[in-house]
PDB file of all heavy atoms in Angstrom:
ATOM      1  N   GLN A 256     -16.252  -6.595 -16.563  1.00 98.00           N
ATOM      2  CA  GLN A 256     -17.421  -7.393 -16.923  1.00 98.00           C
ATOM      3  C   GLN A 256     -18.565  -6.531 -17.446  1.00 98.00           C
ATOM      4  O   GLN A 256     -19.188  -6.869 -18.465  1.00 98.00           O
ATOM      5  CB  GLN A 256     -17.889  -8.187 -15.698  1.00 98.00           C
ATOM      6  CG  GLN A 256     -19.094  -9.078 -15.982  1.00 98.00           C
ATOM      7  CD  GLN A 256     -19.527  -9.854 -14.742  1.00 98.00           C
ATOM      8  OE1 GLN A 256     -19.086  -9.585 -13.633  1.00 98.00           O
ATOM      9  NE2 GLN A 256     -20.404 -10.837 -14.935  1.00 98.00           N
ATOM     10  N   ARG A 257     -18.857  -5.403 -16.777  1.00 97.00           N
ATOM     11  CA  ARG A 257     -20.070  -4.645 -17.103  1.00 97.00           C
ATOM     12  C   ARG A 257     -19.830  -3.322 -17.817  1.00 97.00           C
ATOM     13  O   ARG A 257     -20.711  -2.837 -18.517  1.00 97.00           O
ATOM     14  CB  ARG A 257     -20.868  -4.380 -15.812  1.00 97.00           C
ATOM     15  CG  ARG A 257     -21.327  -5.650 -15.125  1.00 97.00           C
ATOM     16  CD  ARG A 257     -22.449  -5.399 -14.123  1.00 97.00           C
ATOM     17  NE  ARG A 257     -22.059  -4.556 -13.003  1.00 97.00           N
ATOM     18  CZ  ARG A 257     -21.384  -4.998 -11.943  1.00 97.00           C
ATOM     19  NH1 ARG A 257     -21.000  -6.256 -11.878  1.00 97.00           N
ATOM     20  NH2 ARG A 257     -21.105  -4.176 -10.937  1.00 97.00           N
ATOM     21  N   GLU A 258     -18.641  -2.729 -17.635  1.00 97.00           N
ATOM     22  CA  GLU A 258     -18.365  -1.434 -18.267  1.00 97.00           C
ATOM     23  C   GLU A 258     -16.937  -1.412 -18.808  1.00 97.00           C
ATOM     24  O   GLU A 258     -16.104  -0.606 -18.382  1.00 97.00           O
ATOM     25  CB  GLU A 258     -18.570  -0.297 -17.259  1.00 97.00           C
ATOM     26  CG  GLU A 258     -19.994  -0.187 -16.729  1.00 97.00           C
ATOM     27  CD  GLU A 258     -20.153   0.960 -15.738  1.00 97.00           C
ATOM     28  OE1 GLU A 258     -19.307   1.883 -15.747  1.00 97.00           O
ATOM     29  OE2 GLU A 258     -21.118   0.929 -14.949  1.00 97.00           O
ATOM     30  N   PRO A 259     -16.630  -2.303 -19.776  1.00 96.00           N
ATOM     31  CA  PRO A 259     -15.239  -2.420 -20.236  1.00 96.00           C
ATOM     32  C   PRO A 259     -14.706  -1.162 -20.920  1.00 96.00           C
ATOM     33  O   PRO A 259     -13.491  -0.982 -21.015  1.00 96.00           O
ATOM     34  CB  PRO A 259     -15.293  -3.606 -21.210  1.00 96.00           C
ATOM     35  CG  PRO A 259     -16.737  -3.693 -21.619  1.00 96.00           C
ATOM     36  CD  PRO A 259     -17.531  -3.272 -20.422  1.00 96.00           C
ATOM     37  N   GLY A 260     -15.597  -0.291 -21.387  1.00 95.00           N
ATOM     38  CA  GLY A 260     -15.148   0.945 -22.019  1.00 95.00           C
ATOM     39  C   GLY A 260     -15.102   2.126 -21.074  1.00 95.00           C
ATOM     40  O   GLY A 260     -14.892   3.272 -21.503  1.00 95.00           O
ATOM     41  N   SER A 261     -15.268   1.876 -19.806  1.00 95.00           N
ATOM     42  CA  SER A 261     -15.358   2.947 -18.810  1.00 95.00           C
ATOM     43  C   SER A 261     -14.049   3.714 -18.675  1.00 95.00           C
ATOM     44  O   SER A 261     -12.954   3.127 -18.672  1.00 95.00           O
ATOM     45  CB  SER A 261     -15.747   2.364 -17.448  1.00 95.00           C
ATOM     46  OG  SER A 261     -15.594   3.327 -16.425  1.00 95.00           O
ATOM     47  N   GLY A 262     -14.178   5.023 -18.545  1.00 96.00           N
ATOM     48  CA  GLY A 262     -13.016   5.839 -18.246  1.00 96.00           C
ATOM     49  C   GLY A 262     -12.432   5.529 -16.885  1.00 96.00           C
ATOM     50  O   GLY A 262     -11.257   5.802 -16.616  1.00 96.00           O
ATOM     51  N   ARG A 263     -13.236   4.934 -16.001  1.00 97.00           N
ATOM     52  CA  ARG A 263     -12.730   4.579 -14.677  1.00 97.00           C
ATOM     53  C   ARG A 263     -11.763   3.401 -14.765  1.00 97.00           C
ATOM     54  O   ARG A 263     -10.818   3.326 -13.982  1.00 97.00           O
ATOM     55  CB  ARG A 263     -13.892   4.233 -13.741  1.00 97.00           C
ATOM     56  CG  ARG A 263     -14.896   5.353 -13.519  1.00 97.00           C
ATOM     57  CD  ARG A 263     -14.238   6.649 -13.010  1.00 97.00           C
ATOM     58  NE  ARG A 263     -13.744   7.482 -14.091  1.00 97.00           N
ATOM     59  CZ  ARG A 263     -12.731   8.358 -13.973  1.00 97.00           C
ATOM     60  NH1 ARG A 263     -12.074   8.475 -12.851  1.00 97.00           N
ATOM     61  NH2 ARG A 263     -12.357   9.086 -14.990  1.00 97.00           N
ATOM     62  N   LEU A 264     -11.991   2.511 -15.719  1.00 98.00           N
ATOM     63  CA  LEU A 264     -11.038   1.421 -15.928  1.00 98.00           C
ATOM     64  C   LEU A 264      -9.720   1.987 -16.459  1.00 98.00           C
ATOM     65  O   LEU A 264      -8.632   1.554 -16.058  1.00 98.00           O
ATOM     66  CB  LEU A 264     -11.619   0.394 -16.897  1.00 98.00           C
ATOM     67  CG  LEU A 264     -10.892  -0.952 -16.999  1.00 98.00           C
ATOM     68  CD1 LEU A 264     -10.823  -1.640 -15.634  1.00 98.00           C
ATOM     69  CD2 LEU A 264     -11.591  -1.850 -18.011  1.00 98.00           C
ATOM     70  N   ALA A 265      -9.819   2.971 -17.340  1.00 98.00           N
ATOM     71  CA  ALA A 265      -8.613   3.639 -17.834  1.00 98.00           C
ATOM     72  C   ALA A 265      -7.885   4.351 -16.698  1.00 98.00           C
ATOM     73  O   ALA A 265      -6.646   4.405 -16.667  1.00 98.00           O
ATOM     74  CB  ALA A 265      -8.989   4.632 -18.936  1.00 98.00           C
ATOM     75  N   ALA A 266      -8.635   4.895 -15.750  1.00 98.00           N
ATOM     76  CA  ALA A 266      -8.010   5.553 -14.599  1.00 98.00           C
ATOM     77  C   ALA A 266      -7.249   4.541 -13.751  1.00 98.00           C
ATOM     78  O   ALA A 266      -6.151   4.828 -13.251  1.00 98.00           O
ATOM     79  CB  ALA A 266      -9.069   6.265 -13.766  1.00 98.00           C
ATOM     80  N   TYR A 267      -7.824   3.352 -13.581  1.00 98.00           N
ATOM     81  CA  TYR A 267      -7.100   2.309 -12.854  1.00 98.00           C
ATOM     82  C   TYR A 267      -5.798   1.941 -13.574  1.00 98.00           C
ATOM     83  O   TYR A 267      -4.770   1.688 -12.937  1.00 98.00           O
ATOM     84  CB  TYR A 267      -7.971   1.063 -12.693  1.00 98.00           C
ATOM     85  CG  TYR A 267      -8.756   1.002 -11.409  1.00 98.00           C
ATOM     86  CD1 TYR A 267     -10.148   1.010 -11.415  1.00 98.00           C
ATOM     87  CD2 TYR A 267      -8.115   0.918 -10.173  1.00 98.00           C
ATOM     88  CE1 TYR A 267     -10.890   0.942 -10.231  1.00 98.00           C
ATOM     89  CE2 TYR A 267      -8.835   0.840  -8.988  1.00 98.00           C
ATOM     90  CZ  TYR A 267     -10.215   0.865  -9.026  1.00 98.00           C
ATOM     91  OH  TYR A 267     -10.935   0.793  -7.843  1.00 98.00           O
ATOM     92  N   ALA A 268      -5.835   1.902 -14.892  1.00 98.00           N
ATOM     93  CA  ALA A 268      -4.626   1.590 -15.659  1.00 98.00           C
ATOM     94  C   ALA A 268      -3.579   2.689 -15.481  1.00 98.00           C
ATOM     95  O   ALA A 268      -2.383   2.405 -15.307  1.00 98.00           O
ATOM     96  CB  ALA A 268      -4.972   1.412 -17.133  1.00 98.00           C
ATOM     97  N   ALA A 269      -4.013   3.955 -15.520  1.00 98.00           N
ATOM     98  CA  ALA A 269      -3.087   5.065 -15.318  1.00 98.00           C
ATOM     99  C   ALA A 269      -2.483   5.013 -13.917  1.00 98.00           C
ATOM    100  O   ALA A 269      -1.285   5.252 -13.734  1.00 98.00           O
ATOM    101  CB  ALA A 269      -3.807   6.394 -15.540  1.00 98.00           C
ATOM    102  N   ALA A 270      -3.313   4.695 -12.922  1.00 98.00           N
ATOM    103  CA  ALA A 270      -2.807   4.578 -11.553  1.00 98.00           C
ATOM    104  C   ALA A 270      -1.796   3.446 -11.451  1.00 98.00           C
ATOM    105  O   ALA A 270      -0.754   3.580 -10.784  1.00 98.00           O
ATOM    106  CB  ALA A 270      -3.966   4.351 -10.586  1.00 98.00           C
ATOM    107  N   ALA A 271      -2.081   2.329 -12.115  1.00 98.00           N
ATOM    108  CA  ALA A 271      -1.158   1.195 -12.084  1.00 98.00           C
ATOM    109  C   ALA A 271       0.199   1.578 -12.662  1.00 98.00           C
ATOM    110  O   ALA A 271       1.249   1.182 -12.134  1.00 98.00           O
ATOM    111  CB  ALA A 271      -1.753   0.018 -12.853  1.00 98.00           C
ATOM    112  N   ALA A 272       0.188   2.351 -13.733  1.00 98.00           N
ATOM    113  CA  ALA A 272       1.446   2.784 -14.343  1.00 98.00           C
ATOM    114  C   ALA A 272       2.245   3.661 -13.375  1.00 98.00           C
ATOM    115  O   ALA A 272       3.475   3.536 -13.265  1.00 98.00           O
ATOM    116  CB  ALA A 272       1.166   3.546 -15.633  1.00 98.00           C
ATOM    117  N   MET A 273       1.542   4.536 -12.650  1.00 98.00           N
ATOM    118  CA  MET A 273       2.233   5.413 -11.702  1.00 98.00           C
ATOM    119  C   MET A 273       2.760   4.640 -10.500  1.00 98.00           C
ATOM    120  O   MET A 273       3.850   4.919  -9.998  1.00 98.00           O
ATOM    121  CB  MET A 273       1.287   6.523 -11.258  1.00 98.00           C
ATOM    122  CG  MET A 273       1.006   7.557 -12.349  1.00 98.00           C
ATOM    123  SD  MET A 273      -0.121   8.848 -11.818  1.00 98.00           S
ATOM    124  CE  MET A 273      -1.716   8.088 -12.125  1.00 98.00           C
ATOM    125  N   LEU A 274       2.010   3.678 -10.033  1.00 98.00           N
ATOM    126  CA  LEU A 274       2.422   2.920  -8.853  1.00 98.00           C
ATOM    127  C   LEU A 274       3.564   1.959  -9.153  1.00 98.00           C
ATOM    128  O   LEU A 274       4.516   1.846  -8.378  1.00 98.00           O
ATOM    129  CB  LEU A 274       1.222   2.151  -8.288  1.00 98.00           C
ATOM    130  CG  LEU A 274       0.086   3.009  -7.711  1.00 98.00           C
ATOM    131  CD1 LEU A 274      -1.107   2.127  -7.349  1.00 98.00           C
ATOM    132  CD2 LEU A 274       0.551   3.797  -6.485  1.00 98.00           C
ATOM    133  N   THR A 275       3.462   1.263 -10.269  1.00 98.00           N
ATOM    134  CA  THR A 275       4.466   0.252 -10.600  1.00 98.00           C
ATOM    135  C   THR A 275       5.672   0.830 -11.323  1.00 98.00           C
ATOM    136  O   THR A 275       6.729   0.197 -11.366  1.00 98.00           O
ATOM    137  CB  THR A 275       3.861  -0.848 -11.495  1.00 98.00           C
ATOM    138  OG1 THR A 275       3.492  -0.268 -12.764  1.00 98.00           O
ATOM    139  CG2 THR A 275       2.627  -1.473 -10.840  1.00 98.00           C
ATOM    140  N   GLY A 276       5.515   2.010 -11.937  1.00 97.00           N
ATOM    141  CA  GLY A 276       6.591   2.574 -12.747  1.00 97.00           C
ATOM    142  C   GLY A 276       6.685   1.967 -14.122  1.00 97.00           C
ATOM    143  O   GLY A 276       7.651   2.211 -14.849  1.00 97.00           O
ATOM    144  N   ARG A 277       5.669   1.200 -14.515  1.00 97.00           N
ATOM    145  CA  ARG A 277       5.646   0.549 -15.831  1.00 97.00           C
ATOM    146  C   ARG A 277       4.534   1.145 -16.679  1.00 97.00           C
ATOM    147  O   ARG A 277       3.354   1.073 -16.311  1.00 97.00           O
ATOM    148  CB  ARG A 277       5.416  -0.959 -15.675  1.00 97.00           C
ATOM    149  CG  ARG A 277       6.585  -1.709 -15.081  1.00 97.00           C
ATOM    150  CD  ARG A 277       6.241  -3.172 -14.872  1.00 97.00           C
ATOM    151  NE  ARG A 277       5.252  -3.664 -15.831  1.00 97.00           N
ATOM    152  CZ  ARG A 277       4.210  -4.421 -15.512  1.00 97.00           C
ATOM    153  NH1 ARG A 277       3.989  -4.754 -14.249  1.00 97.00           N
ATOM    154  NH2 ARG A 277       3.388  -4.832 -16.448  1.00 97.00           N
ATOM    155  N   ALA A 278       4.898   1.708 -17.812  1.00 97.00           N
ATOM    156  CA  ALA A 278       3.908   2.357 -18.667  1.00 97.00           C
ATOM    157  C   ALA A 278       2.867   1.382 -19.199  1.00 97.00           C
ATOM    158  O   ALA A 278       1.732   1.773 -19.496  1.00 97.00           O
ATOM    159  CB  ALA A 278       4.614   3.055 -19.840  1.00 97.00           C
ATOM    160  N   ASP A 279       3.232   0.096 -19.323  1.00 97.00           N
ATOM    161  CA  ASP A 279       2.313  -0.900 -19.885  1.00 97.00           C
ATOM    162  C   ASP A 279       1.526  -1.643 -18.804  1.00 97.00           C
ATOM    163  O   ASP A 279       0.867  -2.654 -19.092  1.00 97.00           O
ATOM    164  CB  ASP A 279       3.081  -1.905 -20.743  1.00 97.00           C
ATOM    165  CG  ASP A 279       4.093  -2.725 -19.930  1.00 97.00           C
ATOM    166  OD1 ASP A 279       4.416  -2.314 -18.783  1.00 97.00           O
ATOM    167  OD2 ASP A 279       4.562  -3.763 -20.430  1.00 97.00           O
ATOM    168  N   ALA A 280       1.563  -1.162 -17.568  1.00 98.00           N
ATOM    169  CA  ALA A 280       0.893  -1.865 -16.474  1.00 98.00           C
ATOM    170  C   ALA A 280      -0.618  -1.884 -16.683  1.00 98.00           C
ATOM    171  O   ALA A 280      -1.219  -0.884 -17.084  1.00 98.00           O
ATOM    172  CB  ALA A 280       1.227  -1.212 -15.135  1.00 98.00           C
ATOM    173  N   SER A 281      -1.232  -3.019 -16.403  1.00 98.00           N
ATOM    174  CA  SER A 281      -2.685  -3.158 -16.497  1.00 98.00           C
ATOM    175  C   SER A 281      -3.315  -2.773 -15.165  1.00 98.00           C
ATOM    176  O   SER A 281      -2.633  -2.711 -14.135  1.00 98.00           O
ATOM    177  CB  SER A 281      -3.047  -4.602 -16.830  1.00 98.00           C
ATOM    178  OG  SER A 281      -2.735  -5.457 -15.729  1.00 98.00           O
ATOM    179  N   PRO A 282      -4.625  -2.535 -15.155  1.00 98.00           N
ATOM    180  CA  PRO A 282      -5.289  -2.306 -13.869  1.00 98.00           C
ATOM    181  C   PRO A 282      -5.032  -3.432 -12.875  1.00 98.00           C
ATOM    182  O   PRO A 282      -4.808  -3.171 -11.684  1.00 98.00           O
ATOM    183  CB  PRO A 282      -6.769  -2.223 -14.268  1.00 98.00           C
ATOM    184  CG  PRO A 282      -6.757  -1.706 -15.664  1.00 98.00           C
ATOM    185  CD  PRO A 282      -5.552  -2.351 -16.289  1.00 98.00           C
ATOM    186  N   GLU A 283      -5.051  -4.668 -13.358  1.00 98.00           N
ATOM    187  CA  GLU A 283      -4.808  -5.811 -12.474  1.00 98.00           C
ATOM    188  C   GLU A 283      -3.386  -5.782 -11.897  1.00 98.00           C
ATOM    189  O   GLU A 283      -3.173  -6.166 -10.738  1.00 98.00           O
ATOM    190  CB  GLU A 283      -5.038  -7.117 -13.225  1.00 98.00           C
ATOM    191  CG  GLU A 283      -6.495  -7.415 -13.557  1.00 98.00           C
ATOM    192  CD  GLU A 283      -7.016  -6.680 -14.793  1.00 98.00           C
ATOM    193  OE1 GLU A 283      -6.227  -5.952 -15.443  1.00 98.00           O
ATOM    194  OE2 GLU A 283      -8.211  -6.849 -15.113  1.00 98.00           O
ATOM    195  N   ASP A 284      -2.415  -5.313 -12.684  1.00 98.00           N
ATOM    196  CA  ASP A 284      -1.048  -5.179 -12.176  1.00 98.00           C
ATOM    197  C   ASP A 284      -1.012  -4.208 -10.996  1.00 98.00           C
ATOM    198  O   ASP A 284      -0.275  -4.411 -10.022  1.00 98.00           O
ATOM    199  CB  ASP A 284      -0.105  -4.673 -13.267  1.00 98.00           C
ATOM    200  CG  ASP A 284       0.127  -5.687 -14.372  1.00 98.00           C
ATOM    201  OD1 ASP A 284       0.020  -6.903 -14.102  1.00 98.00           O
ATOM    202  OD2 ASP A 284       0.421  -5.257 -15.505  1.00 98.00           O
ATOM    203  N   GLY A 285      -1.817  -3.154 -11.086  1.00 98.00           N
ATOM    204  CA  GLY A 285      -1.880  -2.197  -9.993  1.00 98.00           C
ATOM    205  C   GLY A 285      -2.430  -2.831  -8.721  1.00 98.00           C
ATOM    206  O   GLY A 285      -1.927  -2.584  -7.618  1.00 98.00           O
ATOM    207  N   ALA A 286      -3.460  -3.663  -8.886  1.00 98.00           N
ATOM    208  CA  ALA A 286      -4.041  -4.333  -7.720  1.00 98.00           C
ATOM    209  C   ALA A 286      -3.035  -5.288  -7.078  1.00 98.00           C
ATOM    210  O   ALA A 286      -2.953  -5.388  -5.848  1.00 98.00           O
ATOM    211  CB  ALA A 286      -5.308  -5.085  -8.130  1.00 98.00           C
ATOM    212  N   VAL A 287      -2.267  -5.990  -7.896  1.00 98.00           N
ATOM    213  CA  VAL A 287      -1.236  -6.892  -7.377  1.00 98.00           C
ATOM    214  C   VAL A 287      -0.166  -6.100  -6.628  1.00 98.00           C
ATOM    215  O   VAL A 287       0.304  -6.503  -5.554  1.00 98.00           O
ATOM    216  CB  VAL A 287      -0.612  -7.708  -8.524  1.00 98.00           C
ATOM    217  CG1 VAL A 287       0.624  -8.477  -8.042  1.00 98.00           C
ATOM    218  CG2 VAL A 287      -1.637  -8.678  -9.101  1.00 98.00           C
ATOM    219  N   TRP A 288       0.220  -4.940  -7.181  1.00 98.00           N
ATOM    220  CA  TRP A 288       1.216  -4.075  -6.528  1.00 98.00           C
ATOM    221  C   TRP A 288       0.708  -3.609  -5.166  1.00 98.00           C
ATOM    222  O   TRP A 288       1.459  -3.603  -4.180  1.00 98.00           O
ATOM    223  CB  TRP A 288       1.517  -2.889  -7.426  1.00 98.00           C
ATOM    224  CG  TRP A 288       2.621  -1.993  -6.934  1.00 98.00           C
ATOM    225  CD1 TRP A 288       3.948  -2.066  -7.249  1.00 98.00           C
ATOM    226  CD2 TRP A 288       2.491  -0.873  -6.034  1.00 98.00           C
ATOM    227  NE1 TRP A 288       4.653  -1.072  -6.598  1.00 98.00           N
ATOM    228  CE2 TRP A 288       3.778  -0.317  -5.844  1.00 98.00           C
ATOM    229  CE3 TRP A 288       1.414  -0.288  -5.374  1.00 98.00           C
ATOM    230  CZ2 TRP A 288       4.027   0.786  -5.028  1.00 98.00           C
ATOM    231  CZ3 TRP A 288       1.648   0.817  -4.559  1.00 98.00           C
ATOM    232  CH2 TRP A 288       2.928   1.350  -4.390  1.00 98.00           C
ATOM    233  N   LEU A 289      -0.556  -3.237  -5.095  1.00 98.00           N
ATOM    234  CA  LEU A 289      -1.133  -2.799  -3.826  1.00 98.00           C
ATOM    235  C   LEU A 289      -1.098  -3.909  -2.792  1.00 98.00           C
ATOM    236  O   LEU A 289      -0.773  -3.684  -1.619  1.00 98.00           O
ATOM    237  CB  LEU A 289      -2.573  -2.322  -4.041  1.00 98.00           C
ATOM    238  CG  LEU A 289      -2.763  -1.021  -4.816  1.00 98.00           C
ATOM    239  CD1 LEU A 289      -4.235  -0.819  -5.149  1.00 98.00           C
ATOM    240  CD2 LEU A 289      -2.236   0.172  -4.027  1.00 98.00           C
ATOM    241  N   GLU A 290      -1.434  -5.120  -3.224  1.00 98.00           N
ATOM    242  CA  GLU A 290      -1.431  -6.248  -2.291  1.00 98.00           C
ATOM    243  C   GLU A 290      -0.024  -6.507  -1.757  1.00 98.00           C
ATOM    244  O   GLU A 290       0.169  -6.753  -0.561  1.00 98.00           O
ATOM    245  CB  GLU A 290      -1.981  -7.494  -2.973  1.00 98.00           C
ATOM    246  CG  GLU A 290      -2.157  -8.665  -2.030  1.00 98.00           C
ATOM    247  CD  GLU A 290      -2.941  -9.805  -2.647  1.00 98.00           C
ATOM    248  OE1 GLU A 290      -3.235  -9.746  -3.851  1.00 98.00           O
ATOM    249  OE2 GLU A 290      -3.268 -10.746  -1.904  1.00 98.00           O
ATOM    250  N   ALA A 291       0.972  -6.419  -2.635  1.00 98.00           N
ATOM    251  CA  ALA A 291       2.353  -6.645  -2.216  1.00 98.00           C
ATOM    252  C   ALA A 291       2.811  -5.558  -1.243  1.00 98.00           C
ATOM    253  O   ALA A 291       3.506  -5.842  -0.256  1.00 98.00           O
ATOM    254  CB  ALA A 291       3.271  -6.696  -3.436  1.00 98.00           C
ATOM    255  N   LEU A 292       2.435  -4.309  -1.507  1.00 98.00           N
ATOM    256  CA  LEU A 292       2.818  -3.216  -0.613  1.00 98.00           C
ATOM    257  C   LEU A 292       2.179  -3.390   0.764  1.00 98.00           C
ATOM    258  O   LEU A 292       2.852  -3.238   1.793  1.00 98.00           O
ATOM    259  CB  LEU A 292       2.408  -1.874  -1.205  1.00 98.00           C
ATOM    260  CG  LEU A 292       2.701  -0.660  -0.308  1.00 98.00           C
ATOM    261  CD1 LEU A 292       4.206  -0.441  -0.160  1.00 98.00           C
ATOM    262  CD2 LEU A 292       2.036   0.606  -0.858  1.00 98.00           C
ATOM    263  N   CYS A 293       0.899  -3.714   0.788  1.00 97.00           N
ATOM    264  CA  CYS A 293       0.218  -3.902   2.069  1.00 97.00           C
ATOM    265  C   CYS A 293       0.854  -5.039   2.865  1.00 97.00           C
ATOM    266  O   CYS A 293       1.008  -4.944   4.095  1.00 97.00           O
ATOM    267  CB  CYS A 293      -1.269  -4.168   1.846  1.00 97.00           C
ATOM    268  SG  CYS A 293      -2.197  -2.710   1.294  1.00 97.00           S
ATOM    269  N   ARG A 294       1.247  -6.092   2.174  1.00 97.00           N
ATOM    270  CA  ARG A 294       1.906  -7.209   2.855  1.00 97.00           C
ATOM    271  C   ARG A 294       3.267  -6.769   3.401  1.00 97.00           C
ATOM    272  O   ARG A 294       3.627  -7.083   4.538  1.00 97.00           O
ATOM    273  CB  ARG A 294       2.069  -8.373   1.880  1.00 97.00           C
ATOM    274  CG  ARG A 294       2.482  -9.690   2.537  1.00 97.00           C
ATOM    275  CD  ARG A 294       2.656 -10.800   1.514  1.00 97.00           C
ATOM    276  NE  ARG A 294       1.514 -10.936   0.632  1.00 97.00           N
ATOM    277  CZ  ARG A 294       1.535 -10.710  -0.674  1.00 97.00           C
ATOM    278  NH1 ARG A 294       2.673 -10.343  -1.259  1.00 97.00           N
ATOM    279  NH2 ARG A 294       0.463 -10.855  -1.411  1.00 97.00           N
ATOM    280  N   ARG A 295       4.005  -6.001   2.600  1.00 98.00           N
ATOM    281  CA  ARG A 295       5.327  -5.528   3.026  1.00 98.00           C
ATOM    282  C   ARG A 295       5.249  -4.631   4.248  1.00 98.00           C
ATOM    283  O   ARG A 295       6.131  -4.629   5.117  1.00 98.00           O
ATOM    284  CB  ARG A 295       5.980  -4.771   1.873  1.00 98.00           C
ATOM    285  CG  ARG A 295       7.366  -4.187   2.205  1.00 98.00           C
ATOM    286  CD  ARG A 295       7.919  -3.459   0.996  1.00 98.00           C
ATOM    287  NE  ARG A 295       9.123  -2.716   1.032  1.00 98.00           N
ATOM    288  CZ  ARG A 295       9.823  -2.226   2.030  1.00 98.00           C
ATOM    289  NH1 ARG A 295       9.458  -2.421   3.265  1.00 98.00           N
ATOM    290  NH2 ARG A 295      10.907  -1.523   1.865  1.00 98.00           N
ATOM    291  N   LEU A 296       4.181  -3.846   4.340  1.00 97.00           N
ATOM    292  CA  LEU A 296       4.027  -2.914   5.451  1.00 97.00           C
ATOM    293  C   LEU A 296       3.275  -3.514   6.642  1.00 97.00           C
ATOM    294  O   LEU A 296       2.973  -2.807   7.603  1.00 97.00           O
ATOM    295  CB  LEU A 296       3.303  -1.647   4.979  1.00 97.00           C
ATOM    296  CG  LEU A 296       3.975  -0.845   3.857  1.00 97.00           C
ATOM    297  CD1 LEU A 296       3.212   0.440   3.592  1.00 97.00           C
ATOM    298  CD2 LEU A 296       5.428  -0.528   4.193  1.00 97.00           C
TER     299      LEU A 296
END
């Protein structure tokens, strides 16, 4: 909403790719993956 060009948003995207194993993962995909992992554990 406020800083769409932020390098921190790009960092979230990079983290999502590492967590999900999908190069095209969005930051939101990473958040969904985290929620699923926390539920599983």
Side-chain angles (χ1 to χ4, degrees):
Q256 181 180 12
R257 298 198 296 280
E258 298 180 20
S261 169
R263 300 305 86 206
L264 193 58
Y267 267 117
M273 289 179 275
L274 294 173
T275 65
R277 290 176 29 225
D279 63 344
S281 68
E283 289 81 2
D284 291 333
V287 170
W288 186 93
L289 290 170
E290 186 169 7
L292 177 67
C293 288
R294 192 181 309 115
R295 178 180 174 342
L296 300 185

